[in-house]
Amino acid sequence: MKLYDLELSGNCYKVRLFAALIGIKLELVPVDIPGGAHKRTPVIELNPLGQLPVLVDDDVVLRDSQAILVYLARRYGGNQWWPDGAAQQAEVMQWLSTAANEVQHGPNTARLIDKFGIPLNKEQALAVSALLLSLLEQHLNQHQWLALGRPTIAECAVFPYVALAWEGGVTLDPYPAVRAWMGRIKALPGYVGMSGIA
Amino acid sequence: MKLYDLELSGNCYKVRLFAALIGIKLELVPVDIPGGAHKRTPVIELNPLGQLPVLVDDDVVLRDSQAILVYLARRYGGNQWWPDGAAQQAEVMQWLSTAANEVQHGPNTARLIDKFGIPLNKEQALAVSALLLSLLEQHLNQHQWLALGRPTIAECAVFPYVALAWEGGVTLDPYPAVRAWMGRIKALPGYVGMSGIA
């Protein structure tokens, strides 16, 4: 199973983290993003958005980190990570949308600006980050995990860019419950980090 | 089953549309957003983000339109709308992420600026809209539907703000395959529109 990958991408790390947690092996195919390889063959045919990660598992080709998490969990990970029931799936799904929306446009965008010099709106990224972190803090004050009372793919979707927030100038100091939750994730069997996340 | 609703919200319309397509009845609870009711009891307790829609079905309380679609499909809609298999779920899921990310930050944001006067970045919203519409056009040139060769909840997640794009100054003239796909959705049994969508 191939993962078209960029080591510094939190979206790619979501997949590497989950694969490590469930003990499956990925063949990493590094993509030279600074050199524009994501806009050329073969990546652009696999994902017309020209974004990473892309997963190829036999005849299954998937763009979008959240979709890849759903696929890996459903096929290889078991119900504890992505459940079967309607209310349970929807409870996890709320956080997958939060990952695609607020996480992407909050801490991820702040980091793109500060770390990679991409000209996006910093003020707006900080406002979205504050909204997201307040939501997480409020939730994690009352719950150990994002959904279902146990680790799920919601953790793999939300954790990476929260843990990388400091690279975008977003401090987690005011959010003790978020920091405690990050500690619980780092203690999971099989956990791996990335550059910027110990 | 109660839907806390705003008629003009495309995110609320996603849920009203899907409920109509599968023939389930929602009790609509209009929320006075201009009056700030989404930041007060009971909405703020149901969704700390202070956003609509919110669905309440007995003891199930859900924020996020994509999560609500997954819930309704899994519980009431059947596998044709939200399938069971790993690759199939992931194929639909890609478009649910696109709805939470590019649709939200492209045509939805452009409309928030033009129609509601919210001070967001129009240039960026137009750039994201162009990327999204190119992706859709390329895909729908080769496929009748977004995923699985049939209508799924992906249609309900992506269609509303594409159909409302004109209210944000985004024209669909260069995208004939997108317009043809919109026509197929409007021809589905049970289809309902909203203000701005015939």
Side-chain angles (χ1 to χ4, degrees):
Chain A
M1 181 162 24
K2 280 185 188 175
L3 183 72
Y4 289 83
D5 182 57
L6 177 73
E7 206 281 323
L8 289 179
S9 158
N11 283 317
C12 295
Y13 169 59
K14 293 176 190 177
V15 181
R16 298 194 305 263
L17 172 60
F18 184 57
L21 290 174
I22 63 171
I24 60 173
K25 204 168 161 51
L26 298 171
E27 178 191 342
L28 299 182
V29 183
V31 176
D32 175 20
I33 293 226
H38 55 307
K39 303 293 183 195
R40 293 197 302 269
T41 300
V43 177
I44 198 67
E45 282 82 20
L46 297 172
N47 179 5
L49 285 169
Q51 295 169 351
L52 296 179
V54 174
L55 185 86
V56 179
D57 187 21
D58 292 328
D59 60 343
V60 175
V61 178
L62 290 169
R63 63 175 172 85
D64 181 63
S65 50
Q66 280 71 240
I68 294 171
L69 292 175
V70 165
Y71 173 73
L72 292 178
R74 188 94 187 135
R75 180 140 181 200
Y76 302 106
N79 277 358
Q80 73 266 37
W81 294 99
W82 173 242
D84 203 43
Q88 292 76 26
Q89 275 189 356
E91 192 181 331
V92 176
M93 182 66 208
Q94 292 179 129
W95 294 104
L96 301 185
S97 283
T98 300
N101 187 348
E102 286 83 4
V103 174
Q104 196 74 12
H105 294 272
N108 183 6
T109 295
R111 178 174 177 259
L112 289 173
I113 298 164
D114 280 17
K115 190 176 172 81
F116 300 103
I118 296 175
L120 297 163
N121 187 327
K122 185 72 187 276
E123 194 185 352
Q124 198 178 312
L126 293 178
V128 176
S129 298
L131 180 70
L132 168 71
L133 288 166
S134 298
L135 171 72
L136 287 173
E137 183 70 13
Q138 184 179 334
H139 184 82
L140 293 166
N141 249 319
Q142 294 164 32
H143 304 86
Q144 295 277 299
W145 304 100
L146 294 177
L148 307 179
R150 62 176 190 259
T152 67
I153 55 173
E155 265 70 34
C156 298
V158 173
F159 167 78
Y161 286 110
V162 172
L164 292 167
W166 67 276
E167 294 192 334
V170 176
T171 175
L172 302 183
D173 285 352
Y175 307 105
V178 172
R179 287 184 279 118
W181 165 75
M182 286 169 49
R184 287 191 288 279
I185 293 173
K186 291 179 181 183
L188 290 172
Y191 172 84
V192 292
M194 66 168 273
S195 309
I197 306 180
Chain B
M1 183 163 23
K2 280 186 187 174
L3 183 72
Y4 290 82
D5 182 58
L6 177 74
E7 207 281 324
L8 289 178
S9 159
N11 283 318
C12 294
Y13 170 58
K14 294 176 190 178
V15 181
R16 300 194 304 263
L17 172 60
F18 183 57
L21 291 174
I22 63 171
I24 60 174
K25 203 167 163 52
L26 298 171
E27 179 192 340
L28 299 182
V29 183
V31 176
D32 175 19
I33 293 230
H38 54 307
K39 304 292 183 196
R40 292 196 301 269
T41 299
V43 177
I44 198 66
E45 282 82 21
L46 297 171
N47 180 5
L49 285 169
Q51 295 169 351
L52 297 179
V54 174
L55 185 85
V56 179
D57 187 20
D58 292 327
D59 60 343
V60 175
V61 177
L62 291 168
R63 62 174 174 84
D64 180 63
S65 50
Q66 280 72 239
I68 294 171
L69 292 175
V70 164
Y71 173 74
L72 292 178
R74 189 95 188 134
R75 178 139 183 200
Y76 302 107
N79 277 358
Q80 71 267 38
W81 294 99
W82 172 241
D84 203 42
Q88 293 74 27
Q89 275 189 356
E91 192 181 331
V92 176
M93 182 66 209
Q94 293 180 130
W95 294 104
L96 301 185
S97 283
T98 300
N101 186 349
E102 287 83 4
V103 173
Q104 196 73 12
H105 294 271
N108 183 6
T109 296
R111 178 174 177 260
L112 288 174
I113 298 164
D114 280 18
K115 189 174 173 82
F116 300 101
I118 297 177
L120 296 164
N121 187 328
K122 185 72 186 275
E123 194 186 351
Q124 198 178 314
L126 293 177
V128 176
S129 298
L131 180 70
L132 168 72
L133 288 165
S134 298
L135 171 72
L136 287 173
E137 183 70 13
Q138 183 180 336
H139 184 82
L140 293 166
N141 249 318
Q142 295 164 32
H143 304 86
Q144 296 277 299
W145 304 99
L146 294 177
L148 308 178
R150 62 176 190 261
T152 67
I153 55 172
E155 266 68 36
C156 298
V158 173
F159 167 79
Y161 285 110
V162 172
L164 291 167
W166 67 275
E167 293 191 334
V170 177
T171 174
L172 301 183
D173 285 353
Y175 308 104
V178 172
R179 285 184 280 117
W181 165 76
M182 287 168 50
R184 287 191 288 279
I185 293 173
K186 291 178 181 185
L188 290 173
Y191 171 84
V192 293
M194 66 168 271
S195 308
I197 306 179

